[in-house]
Amino acid sequence: MYNIRYPKIHIRSKNELAKHISHKKFSQVQALNLINDVLVNYNLYWKDNKKRSEPDKGKYVRNAKNTPLGILIKKIDRRILSPHDHLLPNFVFGGVTGRSHAKAARFLLGKKRNRTLLKLDLKSYFEQVDSKLILDFFQKKCQCSEIASKILSQICCIPIGPKGTLLTKKTIARGFATSTRLSVWSNLHLFTKLNFLIQKRLKGYDPRLAIYIDDIEITASRVSKRQMDLLYEEIKKIFLFNNFGYQLILNDQKKETAYHYESSKMEVLGIHLERNRLTLGKKSYSKRLRLKEMLRENLPKKEKQSLRNKYHGTSQYKKYVENLNH
């Protein structure tokens, strides 16, 4: 419909999946044994990360690190999904090779001045990406067989709620290496339709769209708040009422609009958008100042060295952001 280029993976069986993730130091036999092990012992290889989870918001981060499942998930991400990053449109950032949050911010500056920013947030985004979407992506978009698609979907998705829940709905998992890429690919038809709408409604105003996982940022030059509010209502309708058989829900409470002359509010993904340049956002700027003040104090040598390392890290980050201005 919108000239979307999906990966053509053509995995037909478990053996072919093993072949795709194998390499010189990891034979096809080893790969097949890993897949079989994970399919049999799946629930033994993951747990909830209680420190990073937010149960009150229904968000549970999963941890499969250093388990056969974690190893398999990484291999699927690196050897099956990431080689196709180049097919994604230029408005997709986050979890994609070479497309950082800072580059997303740089893209939003556009070529014309007097920018207006509209910030949107997808509510509990990963929990909205159902396993049926992932199955559909592998089977219909990537041209994998039904058997292979079910195996991939089973490996990459997990029941919602805390571990041990009796809920049957499965979604992509927070904390799994594959989840960010799968969240993009499985919703690319909606995101492309969104971009089409933005380019149409804001034509002549240098519109820019940047999608960074669950954050949707839109900028344009010389447009009013009313224009952005009307656009927001259209975007909600696209996500709620479409021909694709499911909905994406926006978080109305996190919707923001900012203008070029209110530079203190023009912040996306932790970075300030000024008239024609990027600078550190409030959080990073404050952290850098705080570390600088702490370094002036009389502290033990080991503690001071730790602070120096952290301050050096903020300096490197500041340099990285500012280098994007050139």
Side-chain angles (χ1 to χ4, degrees):
M1 183 178 180
Y2 297 104
N3 193 31
I4 302 173
R5 296 183 298 163
Y6 286 105
K8 297 298 180 279
I9 300 173
H10 299 290
I11 298 174
R12 312 303 301 174
S13 65
K14 193 193 298 181
N15 284 325
E16 283 193 24
L17 174 57
K19 186 177 180 180
H20 271 73
I21 65 171
S22 64
H23 49 83
K24 287 183 179 180
K25 295 183 179 180
F26 187 69
S27 70
Q28 188 172 339
V29 172
Q30 288 176 301
L32 185 59
N33 288 337
L34 176 64
I35 294 167
N36 286 328
D37 180 16
V38 167
L39 291 176
V40 172
N41 301 299
Y42 190 88
N43 283 328
L44 299 176
Y45 294 147
W46 68 273
K47 60 184 178 181
D48 291 334
N49 186 326
K50 294 182 179 180
K51 288 185 178 180
R52 294 178 59 200
S53 296
E54 299 176 271
D56 55 320
K57 297 181 180 179
K59 297 179 180 180
Y60 294 88
V61 178
R62 320 300 188 171
N63 182 9
K65 189 176 180 181
N66 298 325
T67 70
L69 173 59
I71 292 168
L72 180 55
I73 284 287
K74 281 187 177 180
K75 288 186 181 298
I76 291 172
D77 187 52
R78 291 175 183 174
R79 302 192 69 84
I80 294 177
L81 296 176
S82 67
H84 303 283
D85 283 353
H86 66 283
L87 297 177
L88 289 166
N90 66 348
F91 56 79
V92 173
F93 299 84
V96 179
T97 306
R99 302 192 197 182
S100 66
H101 71 291
K103 288 185 178 179
R106 181 69 185 84
F107 182 70
L108 289 167
L109 282 179
K111 296 179 180 179
K112 298 180 180 179
R113 295 186 177 184
N114 300 342
R115 307 295 283 177
T116 302
L117 167 69
L118 174 63
K119 298 174 66 174
L120 313 177
D121 176 80
L122 288 164
K123 191 174 183 179
S124 300
Y125 180 39
F126 280 14
E127 288 73 23
Q128 292 194 60
V129 185
D130 193 282
S131 60
K132 293 177 183 177
L133 279 177
I134 305 306
L135 179 65
D136 182 80
F137 165 67
F138 282 118
Q139 187 174 355
K140 296 181 180 178
K141 306 300 193 303
C142 300
Q143 300 179 8
C144 296
S145 71
E146 183 179 359
I147 292 172
S149 299
K150 284 182 177 179
I151 291 171
L152 285 162
S153 176
Q154 183 179 342
I155 292 168
C156 297
C157 296
I158 225 156
I160 60 171
K163 186 170 183 178
T165 182
L166 298 178
L167 296 173
T168 56
K169 180 182 176 182
K170 291 185 176 182
T171 67
I172 56 174
R174 293 176 181 271
F176 278 17
T178 50
S179 293
T180 301
R181 286 187 170 91
L182 287 177
S183 73
V184 171
W185 281 116
S186 60
N187 287 294
L188 191 56
H189 47 304
L190 267 180
F191 293 151
T192 306
K193 188 174 182 179
L194 167 63
N195 185 56
F196 182 82
L197 171 69
I198 291 167
Q199 300 303 321
K200 183 179 178 181
R201 290 289 180 265
L202 302 177
K203 185 178 180 180
Y205 299 100
D206 187 28
R208 297 293 179 98
L209 164 69
I211 295 175
Y212 190 89
I213 310 175
D214 57 351
D215 292 306
I216 299 174
E217 321 283 352
I218 302 163
T219 61
S221 292
R222 299 182 177 87
V223 298
S224 66
K225 183 178 184 296
R226 175 170 171 72
Q227 284 174 283
M228 287 299 199
D229 286 342
L230 290 172
L231 178 63
Y232 178 69
E233 293 304 317
E234 286 197 82
I235 292 171
K236 283 179 69 174
K237 288 178 182 178
I238 282 180
F239 284 172
L240 290 174
F241 310 107
N242 56 70
N243 299 322
F244 305 124
Y246 74 100
Q247 301 174 331
L248 281 181
I249 310 298
L250 289 169
N251 190 338
D252 287 335
Q253 294 180 341
K254 290 191 176 181
K255 177 209 167 201
E256 293 181 36
T257 307
Y259 300 94
H260 66 281
Y261 50 81
E262 297 173 328
S263 59
S264 62
K265 294 182 181 180
M266 282 280 277
E267 184 170 317
V268 297
L269 305 170
I271 295 177
H272 270 138
L273 298 184
E274 297 191 2
R275 288 183 183 271
N276 57 1
R277 61 194 290 268
L278 304 176
T279 57
L280 291 181
K282 287 182 180 179
K283 190 174 180 179
S284 296
Y285 183 77
S286 298
K287 179 182 178 181
R288 184 172 163 78
L289 283 181
R290 188 169 63 254
L291 287 169
K292 192 174 182 178
E293 288 296 321
M294 290 172 71
L295 281 170
R296 291 173 180 166
E297 298 176 10
N298 187 18
L299 299 170
K301 185 177 180 181
K302 189 174 181 180
E303 187 176 344
K304 198 143 193 170
Q305 185 58 49
S306 176
L307 288 174
R308 283 197 191 98
N309 292 339
K310 290 178 181 179
Y311 184 75
H312 177 70
T314 65
S315 298
Q316 291 297 105
Y317 178 63
K318 180 174 181 289
K319 185 178 180 181
Y320 169 67
V321 170
E322 293 176 347
N323 280 344
L324 291 174
N325 294 320
H326 304 301

